[in-house]
Amino acid sequence: MSRRLKMAVITAIESLHRSGYSNRRIAETLGVHRDTVAKYVAQFQNRPNAPTGSPDAEPRASPGPESLCRPFQELIVAKLEQGLSAQRIYQDLVEDHEFPGKYPSVRRYVASLATSSGPVRRMETAAGQEAQVDFGVGAPIRQPDGKRRRTWVFRIVLSYSRKAYSEVVYRQTTEAFIGALENSFRHFGGVPKTLVIDNLKAAVRRGDWYDPKLMSFARHYGTAFLPTKPYTLEHKGKVEAGVKYVKNNALKGRQFDSLPQQNDFLLDWETRVADTRIHGTTKQQVQRRFEQERDVLLPLPVDSFPCFEEQQRTVHRDGHVEVAKAYYSTPPEYIGRRLWVRWDSRTVRIFNRRWEQVALHARAEPGQFRTAPGHIPTKRRSSVELGVRQLLARVRVLGDHAGDWGEAVVNARGVEALRVLIGLRALASRHSSAAIDEACRQALTYGVYRLKTIRALLKRPAPEQQQLEFLEEHPIIRPLSDYSLDSLYDLGKERL
């Protein structure tokens, strides 16, 4: 029993046949046997012509009973225009209209609508206007253990000149996609105004074609991403053919020992083979046509795009979020909430739900904390974090003598005074402010600046140090005249 081609391949055969491709060229382009192409072309020619020029064109008649989807044709067409897939359309028909058929019937009917939309218009763009991007399967890499690892070949084609760039990666990640795009821009020496992309794993993550990283990348280079619609392979036919070209001409039947080896081979192949060929559509050499396009490409920016990661994070009870095993503070009002975090190799930026930046930190090593002073609630700040000036202000609340004693401690003991001031404030939990202020007054009279002295005075107040008055006259005090030189000389003579 012969294998039936996928509907996408059958559609492509009919589209190419309508565009004037020969059976041989269709077979070479799609990798299908010429006899198979001839069989399907004969079926197309035997079908009655469907009306064209209207989005409501009916699908072509097929042998067998009428499709169960026929009563829902207008609804199906409307959902296709919204960009819904055949699977989603089938689910909606079952849930909302009690559709009696199965999913394959909806899939076939959607494919028949696609093939009945009339001839395909070839779109040619101006120089520097557009490039098309896609991924294909690359040549395998031989591992040291003898196993082969699959690769993906990134391919970008300038729509005007057909100048292309190819790069092989292990995974279709966003980082690999952006890195390959940047390398292609440097290879071209400029940036096209638009980039047509398919539903790539790396490029499209959501149904609305929105990815902050890709949008930031586009703004950085001054370009724009234009996603294709579902079931419209012809919207990026240049790169579809380009991927097949690099797979069949450059990589088919080859193996490599590493990614750099395969990429070096591809770069040489692009220059030596792909750029020197006469393109089948433009009828010009690719390199010469590219020389006309190079000068109209957008200029490259000075710096490369800072590729970043972006995810949602929940703020922990300590007011920090975790990023790559390091911790970064947020304002205290966001504790327990979900925030967006964007980080690269140098910085970590934190955004709220309205994409307003609420924190900015330098990257930290795993296990380290980055805490901004303004993110610590006042009641949660330790006395050490407050500093000497703040502590002196709090100590003076106990009394003027306590404040004077605290300043004397700072002047006498320097950095060590910090612990003394913290201890003095702690005494307020067991003693009254008046008692502490009196103890500090007494300590000042003795010139003692140790906390244990304050504790002792609080337990047993010491007598105040008495200041003795200076006496100028007293029976045992000699007058100053007795200490003159003449008096001392006379005294010496008497003793002799």
Side-chain angles (χ1 to χ4, degrees), residues 32-52:
V32 181
H33 197 276
R34 284 170 54 192
D35 293 342
T36 304
V37 173
K39 181 183 69 174
Y40 281 99
V41 168
Q43 294 178 5
F44 303 149
Q45 293 174 343
N46 293 332
R47 291 177 181 175
N49 292 330
T52 60

Side-chain angles (χ1 to χ4, degrees), residues 210 357 396 403-404 425 444:
Y210 174 76
Q357 182 173 301
R396 190 164 291 279
D404 295 340
R425 288 194 64 254
L444 280 172

Side-chain angles (χ1 to χ4, degrees), residues 78-89 92 110 230-231:
K79 290 182 177 294
L80 284 175
E81 292 176 351
Q82 297 176 13
L84 301 184
S85 65
Q87 180 67 41
R88 169 64 185 277
I89 294 173
D92 291 349
V110 167
Y231 303 102

